[in-house]
Every structure is written in structure tokens, then in C-alpha cells.
Amino acid sequence: MQKIFSSILALESFEASDLKVLLNSEGEQKKALFEKANEIKQSIIGNKVFFRGIIEYSNVCQKDCFYCGIRKSNKKIKRYTVSDPEVIDAALFAFKNRYGSIVLQSGEMTSPAFVERIENLLRQIRLLTNGQLGVTLSMGEQSEETYQRWKNAGAHRYLLRIESSNRQLYAQMHPNDAMHNFDRRLDCLKLLKKLGYQVGTGVMIGLPGQTIDNLVEDLLFMKELDIDMCGMGPYLEHEDTPMYEKREMLDSQKQRFDLALKMVATLRLLMKDINIAATTALQAIDPLGREKALKCGANIIMPNITPAKYRTDYKLYENKPCTDEAADDCLSCLDVRISLTGNKVGYGQWGDSQHFKNKKHL
Ligand code: SAH
């Protein structure tokens, strides 16, 4: 058994059945998977971990996803949008502290006023940092024109999680209407690629009704789409969402956490040169969750630089960490924490996806 497993770890290309064995690994095998993923990361990408300071721009959302705490129908939360000067301050904080890149993430809005505000912010950020701060957007599904305008204004990476690549599961997690359409989301990912963005996607792990086979499909989906970046993490229940009703169906949070780490490690074996984020949802279950992901294949971390007064209102799920810390506090401990994982922070560098660069040379 051990022998078969070690031969899978050494494969150059993987079948669905191989990926399933990796995702089912436990004990010594799981440990060997994590070590192999770390070895690949260190040899292909190196020991640098890159920062993406995340600004949670707004929790106003026109969508109604059944799992998400900031869904439109949740009347219990206070809606906010960070003001322009506050966004600029946060971006300059990231720039001065040599974070290299920021992510602007938001609930989904498509109004002309919203599109224009983001465009103006992107232009200001580019001007104030001499184009030296990398900018990723995570603002959901938009028109081609919008994606193009934002690209022209200075965004160069885009994160849009498919959430689940299985249509049936996707349908179970979203209202059945034009605004929550699987094909539309997929088309957006293809548009982003066409426009020249570095494209990231990802899924939630441990969803009610989700099987290991579904997760294998997710990994193959990412490979097939030839993504440059991935952000994925455990599904975490939120009391004020419809999916909370299905909580009896869930594995324990610890099991979802373990499975998420195995997804990170397996993806690193499957796509050796992409950027993989150690996501905040991991940290919500285990205070050292992100560090653990950095030890088994992840190479990106997203420190929260949202102005403190808004933090508690961007509650996608329960137990979201870091909601009461100011950005500086997070930074001082992060550097030490990352060193302890055997990695170094790539200060002041964009840390673009190696995969994207390799593709461009073809
Ligand atoms: N509106 C943007 C950003 C969404 S929030 C978009 O559509 O892309 C960022 C991510 O948080 C989502 O893509 C989703 O995967 C994750 N998320 C939302 N609710 C969650 C939950 N309950 N548990 C874990 N992750 C969740």
C-alpha cells in the first residue's frame, strides 16, 4: 500500500483515481503528501511567501448565495462601503509596508456608479504608487466592458471562485435564477482569461452533500481551466443563511479543515507553478491554519488591511478571525509566524504567478 502511494506522489500527470487516493490519505500517507507538496513548492517557486493586503471594500451585495453571510436577504447586518480616502489610505499603508500587492474584494454590485468608483480608485492607486503596487480584484461577475475598464485602470489579477465545479451542487447552493447561473460564472472566468488577467478561482470544501469525487472534479476543473491562482478553504456555516439548516449533514470543522489542507497539497502536485493562497477560512478553524497551509503547498497570504471599524461587518461566515485587530498588529506577528514555517516574506514584490509567466513565454 505504502509503495503504491509513494508512486502516486511521484507522478507527473494525474488521473482522477490518483487524486482521490491523495484526498483520502490519512496518517503517514497524509504526512508524505504534505511533505511532497512542500518540496515541490520550495523547488519550483522557492521559499518566498507573498502578501496580498485585502481590503474588504463593501458588504453590499445584489446576490443571495445560500451560504454567505453578506447575502442580500440577510437583514441582520449593517451594510457599509469603505470611503475612497480610506481605501487609498489602506493601499498606501500596504505600499509603505512593502506588501507588494493588494486585493480589493467586495459584495457583488454592477451599477455604473460602482464600476466607475472602482475604476477611479484603481487609477488613483496606480498614480500614488507609481504603478508599483500589484492589484487583484475580487468583485464577482461583471460585463466584459467592466473587466476591460478595470484592467485598463490598473488591475491585473482577478479572483472569482467557481465555489463548486459540480453543476448540481452549484445549483443547490444558489437561487435558481439568471443572477446565479453556473454558466455565466464560468463565462466570466473565460472572459477574464481572454482579457489577459492572471485568473484565480477556488471552491469551498466540506459543503453539505459534497463528496470526495466532487473535490476531485474541482481539482481537474482548475487544471482544465489552466488557472494561475487559487484561493480555497473550508465551508463554514453561518447562522443567518439558508444553508445553516443543513448543518447536520456536515463533517466536523476539524475534518473540513484537514480536507482543505489535503486539497491545497494535492493541487500543488497537480499544478506545480501556480499561486495558492493560505486562506482566512482556514484560520477561522485553527489559529495556525494559514501557517499549516504554507507548509503544505500554499505560497500566498492575505493580511486583512480593511479599516478596523468595518471588519466585523464583513462576516461571510462565523468565527471570522482578525476582526478586531488593526493591520499593524497583524503585520508584526505575521512575519514571525511565516519565518516559523521555513519561509520568508517576499517584501515589496508582486509575486506574480509563475504559471502565468511561463505561459506567456510559450
Ligand atoms: N462577491 C465576490 C466575493 C465573494 S466573498 C465574488 O462573487 O467573487 C469571497 C469568498 O468567500 C466567496 O467566493 C466564497 O467562496 C467565500 N465564502 C462565502 N461564504 C462562505 C462560507 N459560509 N464559508 C466559507 N467561505 C465562504
Side-chain angles (χ1 to χ4, degrees), residues 45 50 52 157 198 200-201 227-231 267-268 271-277 297-300 350-355:
I45 321 206
F50 300 103
R52 315 282 184 238
R157 311 183 187 114
Q198 291 176 48
T201 193
I227 55 161
D228 306 300
M229 337 181 283
C230 176
L267 182 63
R268 177 56 73 203
M271 302 189 78
K272 297 186 168 38
D273 57 358
I274 64 170
N275 278 347
I276 303 179
N299 69 317
I300 299 287
W350 278 18
D352 273 342
S353 159
Q354 205 68 46
H355 187 71

Side-chain angles (χ1 to χ4, degrees), residues 46-107:
N47 72 345
K48 289 274 169 63
V49 166
F50 300 103
F51 279 169
R52 315 282 184 238
I54 182 163
I55 304 169
E56 295 159 337
Y57 174 72
S58 174
N59 66 357
V60 180
C61 192
Q62 62 194 30
K63 293 183 89 171
D64 228 359
C65 309
F66 295 153
Y67 45 86
C68 184
I70 64 167
R71 64 196 301 269
K72 183 180 168 192
S73 299
N74 184 5
K75 303 286 181 234
K76 291 199 185 163
I77 56 169
K78 198 168 93 209
R79 302 285 169 174
Y80 74 86
T81 298
V82 180
S83 71
D84 286 6
E86 286 169 323
V87 172
I88 299 298
D89 273 358
L92 289 177
F93 168 84
F95 186 54
K96 285 185 193 127
N97 286 281
R98 307 185 63 237
Y99 275 40
S101 297
I102 55 167
V103 181
L104 275 173
Q105 189 176 77
S106 174

Side-chain angles (χ1 to χ4, degrees), residues 48-51 94-101 132 301 303 330-339 343-351:
K48 289 274 169 63
V49 166
F50 300 103
F51 279 169
F95 186 54
K96 285 185 193 127
N97 286 281
R98 307 185 63 237
Y99 275 40
S101 297
Q132 286 173 32
I301 211 156
C330 281
L331 180 61
S332 53
C333 63
L334 254 184
D335 189 274
V336 178
R337 285 165 163 232
I338 289 168
S339 305
N343 292 288
K344 288 259 166 294
V345 179
Y347 284 112
Q349 298 172 45
W350 278 18

Side-chain angles (χ1 to χ4, degrees), residues 61 63 67-69 105-108 138-141 159-161 163 185 203-204 234-238 281 314 316-317:
C61 192
K63 293 183 89 171
Y67 45 86
C68 184
Q105 189 176 77
S106 174
E108 206 163 294
S138 174
M139 308 231 147
E141 295 160 43
L159 188 61
L160 184 73
R161 291 187 178 180
E163 314 297 359
R185 201 151 179 97
V203 294
M204 283 177 287
Y235 162 67
L236 291 157
E237 56 275 44
H238 189 301
Y314 197 78
L316 307 171
Y317 43 77

Side-chain angles (χ1 to χ4, degrees), residues 165-221:
S165 67
N166 181 283
R167 284 168 188 270
Q168 208 183 334
L169 211 50
Y170 190 91
Q172 284 167 21
M173 299 194 291
H174 298 96
N176 179 18
D177 61 29
M179 208 191 264
H180 300 82
N181 183 282
F182 181 87
D183 286 305
R184 160 98 182 109
R185 201 151 179 97
L186 188 55
D187 285 346
C188 283
L189 282 166
K190 291 179 179 162
L191 266 180
L192 289 162
K193 262 181 91 169
K194 187 182 90 176
L195 297 176
Y197 278 95
Q198 291 176 48
V199 178
T201 193
V203 294
M204 283 177 287
I205 297 153
L207 289 159
Q210 189 182 45
T211 63
I212 294 287
D213 285 314
N214 294 146
L215 292 171
V216 169
E217 280 174 57
D218 289 336
L219 291 170
L220 291 170
F221 170 88

